[in-house]
Amino acid sequence: MSENRNRYSSAPLQNLKQAKKKAQQAPKAPRSGVPQSSREMQSFTGLQLMLMVILPLFFVIALFVQNTLFFLSFALVSVIALFITWLVSAFAPNARATLTIIHIALVVVSLFAVLLSPPDIPADNTQDPLKAQTTKDSLLSASMLTMMENQQAQAGPTATPNFGHASFAQQRLEEFLSAWSRMDYTDMANYCLPSWIASQGNPETAMFHLRANRTIVSYEILEVTGNDMDQTRTINMNALIDKSNGNPPQTNRFQVLMVRSNDNWYVDPRSLTSLGIIESEEDIAARTITTIVPTATPSPDTLLYYNADGGMFYHINDRCPSVSEKYLPLTASFYYRDIKSNPSFAKLVPCGTCGAPSKE
């Protein structure tokens, strides 16, 4: 009995010790009433605000501004924010994946906008581009004119008095055409009339539409009208134009208007419209050889003309309008009576433009 009494009397003490151990091992409840997961979410509030509000708003602003720096800044900040999001495992997995897909799409759009945007206007012209360009061109004009005057003084009295302005106007046009062939739209705009450039929203875009799909293969200056006292000069030229449409290049006639402003010459872009295509003798032959109407038999002593530099026709007029001006007047000739006896004349075809007599 005494042994049982001792065993039962010690049981409450053992239960008390076990209860204390369980109380020490049990997890302590958070002191505040906010769950631990909520406090973890609150630590990513700044990152959430950046990805869901600030960056999308910045992207919309970049679309309206159309500035390369804005697009690149947005792309860089978005990539950094996504890297941090995945590094710290912010947000729920589905939300994190959705934000990543959306921002990757916006970054791709920004990069495409940077690649397709025209080049920015140089920063040194942002305050007053027309005034800065005019000052630059005036200094260039003064230095070139001084150099030309020195050359004329060394050449003696045989130098042409007004050659300085004429050659400078032509040189400005040739520099413009060189920029055209390089598709350098910024440089093209520098040679265009300042008043016309001022009326355009974006000079580079205007030059892009002006050039269109016309590529200048070669050109030939025919005549520069006017003199050094005029405010405008007209330059007649032929240009071989390739339109990249699968057809061979064609020669076009242009009358380019050059305007003097502040002692400098500028191209008037409104005069860069082709006046028409100049057909070669081969083109005329293909178009008119089947429509030539025989003329009355001329005298055997009738003098006929032809282009000795590979011409296919013989002409009754030594200044036939179907022949390029650089070959006029035609100097190679033969008599009508020799048209059959000489094999080199027999292969020529009568010109229908000037009404050359047909072969019998």
Side-chain angles (χ1 to χ4, degrees), residues 17 24 54 59 88 175 236 242 255-256 260 262 273 275 281 291 304 311 343 350 353 360:
K17 292 181 178 180
Q24 292 176 356
I54 298 177
F59 176 77
V88 301
E175 291 172 354
N236 296 305
D242 184 6
Q255 285 186 342
V256 184
R260 188 174 65 177
N262 295 328
T273 303
L275 299 180
E281 292 189 348
T291 61
L304 301 175
T353 303
E360 293 181 354

PDB file of all heavy atoms in Angstrom, residues 17 24 54 59 88 175 236 242 255-256 260 262 273 275 281 291 304 311 343 350 353 360:
ATOM      1  N   LYS A  17       5.624  18.875 -15.223  1.00  0.00           N
ATOM      2  CA  LYS A  17       6.886  19.046 -15.959  1.00  0.00           C
ATOM      3  C   LYS A  17       6.695  18.838 -17.467  1.00  0.00           C
ATOM      4  O   LYS A  17       7.245  19.563 -18.294  1.00  0.00           O
ATOM      5  CB  LYS A  17       7.931  18.055 -15.430  1.00  0.00           C
ATOM      6  CG  LYS A  17       8.366  18.360 -14.012  1.00  0.00           C
ATOM      7  CD  LYS A  17       9.416  17.347 -13.554  1.00  0.00           C
ATOM      8  CE  LYS A  17       9.894  17.677 -12.148  1.00  0.00           C
ATOM      9  NZ  LYS A  17      10.930  16.700 -11.673  1.00  0.00           N
ATOM     10  N   GLN A  24       7.100  25.124 -23.885  1.00  0.00           N
ATOM     11  CA  GLN A  24       8.327  25.710 -24.423  1.00  0.00           C
ATOM     12  C   GLN A  24       8.556  25.329 -25.876  1.00  0.00           C
ATOM     13  O   GLN A  24       9.076  26.098 -26.665  1.00  0.00           O
ATOM     14  CB  GLN A  24       9.533  25.259 -23.570  1.00  0.00           C
ATOM     15  CG  GLN A  24       9.529  25.829 -22.170  1.00  0.00           C
ATOM     16  CD  GLN A  24      10.674  25.284 -21.338  1.00  0.00           C
ATOM     17  OE1 GLN A  24      11.419  24.412 -21.802  1.00  0.00           O
ATOM     18  NE2 GLN A  24      10.808  25.797 -20.118  1.00  0.00           N
ATOM     19  N   ILE A  54       4.392  52.451 -62.379  1.00  0.00           N
ATOM     20  CA  ILE A  54       5.392  53.415 -62.859  1.00  0.00           C
ATOM     21  C   ILE A  54       5.910  53.046 -64.244  1.00  0.00           C
ATOM     22  O   ILE A  54       5.928  53.876 -65.167  1.00  0.00           O
ATOM     23  CB  ILE A  54       6.558  53.525 -61.851  1.00  0.00           C
ATOM     24  CG1 ILE A  54       6.038  54.044 -60.503  1.00  0.00           C
ATOM     25  CG2 ILE A  54       7.656  54.423 -62.395  1.00  0.00           C
ATOM     26  CD1 ILE A  54       7.101  54.114 -59.425  1.00  0.00           C
ATOM     27  N   PHE A  59       6.208  53.796 -70.180  1.00  0.00           N
ATOM     28  CA  PHE A  59       6.139  53.257 -71.554  1.00  0.00           C
ATOM     29  C   PHE A  59       5.156  54.056 -72.411  1.00  0.00           C
ATOM     30  O   PHE A  59       5.432  54.355 -73.577  1.00  0.00           O
ATOM     31  CB  PHE A  59       5.724  51.789 -71.503  1.00  0.00           C
ATOM     32  CG  PHE A  59       5.539  51.161 -72.850  1.00  0.00           C
ATOM     33  CD1 PHE A  59       6.639  50.787 -73.619  1.00  0.00           C
ATOM     34  CD2 PHE A  59       4.270  50.962 -73.373  1.00  0.00           C
ATOM     35  CE1 PHE A  59       6.483  50.217 -74.866  1.00  0.00           C
ATOM     36  CE2 PHE A  59       4.103  50.390 -74.622  1.00  0.00           C
ATOM     37  CZ  PHE A  59       5.216  50.021 -75.373  1.00  0.00           C
ATOM     38  N   VAL A  88      14.356  37.439 -55.746  1.00  0.00           N
ATOM     39  CA  VAL A  88      13.816  37.358 -54.373  1.00  0.00           C
ATOM     40  C   VAL A  88      12.506  36.582 -54.326  1.00  0.00           C
ATOM     41  O   VAL A  88      11.880  36.516 -53.268  1.00  0.00           O
ATOM     42  CB  VAL A  88      13.610  38.780 -53.812  1.00  0.00           C
ATOM     43  CG1 VAL A  88      14.918  39.545 -53.789  1.00  0.00           C
ATOM     44  CG2 VAL A  88      12.579  39.558 -54.647  1.00  0.00           C
ATOM     45  N   GLU A 175      26.894  67.880-103.928  1.00  0.00           N
ATOM     46  CA  GLU A 175      26.993  67.367-102.563  1.00  0.00           C
ATOM     47  C   GLU A 175      25.638  66.844-102.081  1.00  0.00           C
ATOM     48  O   GLU A 175      25.568  65.846-101.365  1.00  0.00           O
ATOM     49  CB  GLU A 175      27.505  68.467-101.635  1.00  0.00           C
ATOM     50  CG  GLU A 175      28.960  68.839-101.894  1.00  0.00           C
ATOM     51  CD  GLU A 175      29.390  70.064-101.101  1.00  0.00           C
ATOM     52  OE1 GLU A 175      28.510  70.673-100.454  1.00  0.00           O
ATOM     53  OE2 GLU A 175      30.584  70.405-101.136  1.00  0.00           O
ATOM     54  N   ASN A 236      20.070  72.410-115.261  1.00  0.00           N
ATOM     55  CA  ASN A 236      19.499  71.335-116.061  1.00  0.00           C
ATOM     56  C   ASN A 236      20.428  70.132-115.992  1.00  0.00           C
ATOM     57  O   ASN A 236      21.641  70.254-116.210  1.00  0.00           O
ATOM     58  CB  ASN A 236      19.337  71.781-117.516  1.00  0.00           C
ATOM     59  CG  ASN A 236      18.354  72.933-117.652  1.00  0.00           C
ATOM     60  OD1 ASN A 236      17.220  72.847-117.216  1.00  0.00           O
ATOM     61  ND2 ASN A 236      18.800  74.031-118.239  1.00  0.00           N
ATOM     62  N   ASP A 242      17.351  54.479-110.681  1.00  0.00           N
ATOM     63  CA  ASP A 242      16.936  53.090-110.464  1.00  0.00           C
ATOM     64  C   ASP A 242      15.844  53.095-109.405  1.00  0.00           C
ATOM     65  O   ASP A 242      16.072  53.503-108.265  1.00  0.00           O
ATOM     66  CB  ASP A 242      18.127  52.249-110.005  1.00  0.00           C
ATOM     67  CG  ASP A 242      17.762  50.771-109.869  1.00  0.00           C
ATOM     68  OD1 ASP A 242      16.628  50.399-110.232  1.00  0.00           O
ATOM     69  OD2 ASP A 242      18.617  49.983-109.404  1.00  0.00           O
ATOM     70  N   GLN A 255      15.168  69.845-113.813  1.00  0.00           N
ATOM     71  CA  GLN A 255      15.508  71.263-113.761  1.00  0.00           C
ATOM     72  C   GLN A 255      15.476  71.674-112.292  1.00  0.00           C
ATOM     73  O   GLN A 255      14.435  71.997-111.739  1.00  0.00           O
ATOM     74  CB  GLN A 255      14.532  72.104-114.581  1.00  0.00           C
ATOM     75  CG  GLN A 255      14.735  71.995-116.088  1.00  0.00           C
ATOM     76  CD  GLN A 255      13.850  72.957-116.862  1.00  0.00           C
ATOM     77  OE1 GLN A 255      12.868  73.475-116.341  1.00  0.00           O
ATOM     78  NE2 GLN A 255      14.201  73.198-118.106  1.00  0.00           N
ATOM     79  N   VAL A 256      16.638  71.625-111.668  1.00  0.00           N
ATOM     80  CA  VAL A 256      16.740  71.860-110.230  1.00  0.00           C
ATOM     81  C   VAL A 256      16.891  73.360-109.976  1.00  0.00           C
ATOM     82  O   VAL A 256      17.758  74.010-110.560  1.00  0.00           O
ATOM     83  CB  VAL A 256      17.934  71.094-109.640  1.00  0.00           C
ATOM     84  CG1 VAL A 256      17.973  71.275-108.121  1.00  0.00           C
ATOM     85  CG2 VAL A 256      17.851  69.614-109.991  1.00  0.00           C
ATOM     86  N   ARG A 260      19.621  81.290-103.548  1.00  0.00           N
ATOM     87  CA  ARG A 260      20.675  81.871-102.720  1.00  0.00           C
ATOM     88  C   ARG A 260      20.061  82.529-101.494  1.00  0.00           C
ATOM     89  O   ARG A 260      19.125  83.321-101.596  1.00  0.00           O
ATOM     90  CB  ARG A 260      21.492  82.895-103.513  1.00  0.00           C
ATOM     91  CG  ARG A 260      22.722  83.380-102.759  1.00  0.00           C
ATOM     92  CD  ARG A 260      23.589  84.276-103.616  1.00  0.00           C
ATOM     93  NE  ARG A 260      22.914  85.517-103.965  1.00  0.00           N
ATOM     94  CZ  ARG A 260      23.478  86.504-104.656  1.00  0.00           C
ATOM     95  NH1 ARG A 260      24.717  86.360-105.096  1.00  0.00           N
ATOM     96  NH2 ARG A 260      22.802  87.599-104.924  1.00  0.00           N
ATOM     97  N   ASN A 262      21.506  84.225 -97.760  1.00  0.00           N
ATOM     98  CA  ASN A 262      22.662  84.596 -96.913  1.00  0.00           C
ATOM     99  C   ASN A 262      23.979  84.183 -97.573  1.00  0.00           C
ATOM    100  O   ASN A 262      24.842  83.566 -96.934  1.00  0.00           O
ATOM    101  CB  ASN A 262      22.530  83.965 -95.525  1.00  0.00           C
ATOM    102  CG  ASN A 262      21.343  84.498 -94.751  1.00  0.00           C
ATOM    103  OD1 ASN A 262      20.952  85.655 -94.900  1.00  0.00           O
ATOM    104  ND2 ASN A 262      20.728  83.646 -93.942  1.00  0.00           N
ATOM    105  N   THR A 273      11.273  67.115-109.041  1.00  0.00           N
ATOM    106  CA  THR A 273      10.353  66.230-109.754  1.00  0.00           C
ATOM    107  C   THR A 273      10.852  66.019-111.177  1.00  0.00           C
ATOM    108  O   THR A 273      11.233  66.977-111.852  1.00  0.00           O
ATOM    109  CB  THR A 273       8.936  66.832-109.779  1.00  0.00           C
ATOM    110  OG1 THR A 273       8.504  67.069-108.435  1.00  0.00           O
ATOM    111  CG2 THR A 273       7.962  65.881-110.453  1.00  0.00           C
ATOM    112  N   LEU A 275      11.095  65.703-115.016  1.00  0.00           N
ATOM    113  CA  LEU A 275      10.346  66.292-116.124  1.00  0.00           C
ATOM    114  C   LEU A 275       9.963  65.256-117.174  1.00  0.00           C
ATOM    115  O   LEU A 275       9.231  65.563-118.103  1.00  0.00           O
ATOM    116  CB  LEU A 275      11.177  67.402-116.789  1.00  0.00           C
ATOM    117  CG  LEU A 275      11.562  68.582-115.883  1.00  0.00           C
ATOM    118  CD1 LEU A 275      12.373  69.593-116.666  1.00  0.00           C
ATOM    119  CD2 LEU A 275      10.324  69.231-115.294  1.00  0.00           C
ATOM    120  N   GLU A 281      17.929  55.495-128.072  1.00  0.00           N
ATOM    121  CA  GLU A 281      17.611  55.120-129.447  1.00  0.00           C
ATOM    122  C   GLU A 281      17.076  53.692-129.510  1.00  0.00           C
ATOM    123  O   GLU A 281      16.222  53.376-130.354  1.00  0.00           O
ATOM    124  CB  GLU A 281      18.861  55.266-130.318  1.00  0.00           C
ATOM    125  CG  GLU A 281      19.305  56.710-130.520  1.00  0.00           C
ATOM    126  CD  GLU A 281      20.392  56.834-131.560  1.00  0.00           C
ATOM    127  OE1 GLU A 281      20.949  55.788-131.947  1.00  0.00           O
ATOM    128  OE2 GLU A 281      20.672  57.963-131.994  1.00  0.00           O
ATOM    129  N   THR A 291       5.980  51.316-136.896  1.00  0.00           N
ATOM    130  CA  THR A 291       4.990  52.321-137.300  1.00  0.00           C
ATOM    131  C   THR A 291       5.563  53.342-138.278  1.00  0.00           C
ATOM    132  O   THR A 291       4.930  54.357-138.532  1.00  0.00           O
ATOM    133  CB  THR A 291       4.468  53.060-136.060  1.00  0.00           C
ATOM    134  OG1 THR A 291       5.556  53.711-135.417  1.00  0.00           O
ATOM    135  CG2 THR A 291       3.833  52.085-135.075  1.00  0.00           C
ATOM    136  N   LEU A 304      22.268  62.302-145.239  1.00  0.00           N
ATOM    137  CA  LEU A 304      21.676  61.703-144.046  1.00  0.00           C
ATOM    138  C   LEU A 304      22.720  61.680-142.925  1.00  0.00           C
ATOM    139  O   LEU A 304      23.919  61.599-143.185  1.00  0.00           O
ATOM    140  CB  LEU A 304      21.188  60.287-144.345  1.00  0.00           C
ATOM    141  CG  LEU A 304      20.146  60.170-145.465  1.00  0.00           C
ATOM    142  CD1 LEU A 304      19.821  58.719-145.748  1.00  0.00           C
ATOM    143  CD2 LEU A 304      18.873  60.939-145.107  1.00  0.00           C
ATOM    144  N   GLY A 311      25.058  54.479-132.823  1.00  0.00           N
ATOM    145  CA  GLY A 311      23.677  54.787-133.155  1.00  0.00           C
ATOM    146  C   GLY A 311      23.042  53.740-134.052  1.00  0.00           C
ATOM    147  O   GLY A 311      23.704  53.113-134.880  1.00  0.00           O
ATOM    148  N   PRO A 343      27.815  48.341-146.352  1.00  0.00           N
ATOM    149  CA  PRO A 343      27.189  47.459-145.339  1.00  0.00           C
ATOM    150  C   PRO A 343      26.982  48.145-143.993  1.00  0.00           C
ATOM    151  O   PRO A 343      26.019  47.832-143.281  1.00  0.00           O
ATOM    152  CB  PRO A 343      28.188  46.303-145.222  1.00  0.00           C
ATOM    153  CG  PRO A 343      28.961  46.319-146.490  1.00  0.00           C
ATOM    154  CD  PRO A 343      29.053  47.752-146.902  1.00  0.00           C
ATOM    155  N   PRO A 350      15.698  53.907-140.501  1.00  0.00           N
ATOM    156  CA  PRO A 350      15.257  55.299-140.640  1.00  0.00           C
ATOM    157  C   PRO A 350      14.546  55.795-139.385  1.00  0.00           C
ATOM    158  O   PRO A 350      13.765  55.073-138.773  1.00  0.00           O
ATOM    159  CB  PRO A 350      14.312  55.263-141.838  1.00  0.00           C
ATOM    160  CG  PRO A 350      13.851  53.854-141.926  1.00  0.00           C
ATOM    161  CD  PRO A 350      15.001  53.013-141.466  1.00  0.00           C
ATOM    162  N   THR A 353      11.081  60.027-136.049  1.00  0.00           N
ATOM    163  CA  THR A 353      10.866  61.328-135.387  1.00  0.00           C
ATOM    164  C   THR A 353      11.120  62.487-136.334  1.00  0.00           C
ATOM    165  O   THR A 353      10.308  63.435-136.406  1.00  0.00           O
ATOM    166  CB  THR A 353      11.767  61.437-134.154  1.00  0.00           C
ATOM    167  OG1 THR A 353      11.502  60.341-133.249  1.00  0.00           O
ATOM    168  CG2 THR A 353      11.522  62.748-133.427  1.00  0.00           C
ATOM    169  N   GLU A 360      14.508  51.800-150.071  1.00  0.00           N
ATOM    170  CA  GLU A 360      13.668  51.297-151.162  1.00  0.00           C
ATOM    171  C   GLU A 360      13.680  49.777-151.157  1.00  0.00           C
ATOM    172  O   GLU A 360      14.657  49.149-150.792  1.00  0.00           O
ATOM    173  CB  GLU A 360      14.209  51.814-152.504  1.00  0.00           C
ATOM    174  CG  GLU A 360      14.052  53.326-152.650  1.00  0.00           C
ATOM    175  CD  GLU A 360      14.565  53.802-153.970  1.00  0.00           C
ATOM    176  OE1 GLU A 360      15.151  52.986-154.723  1.00  0.00           O
ATOM    177  OE2 GLU A 360      14.370  54.985-154.280  1.00  0.00           O
TER     178      GLU A 360
END
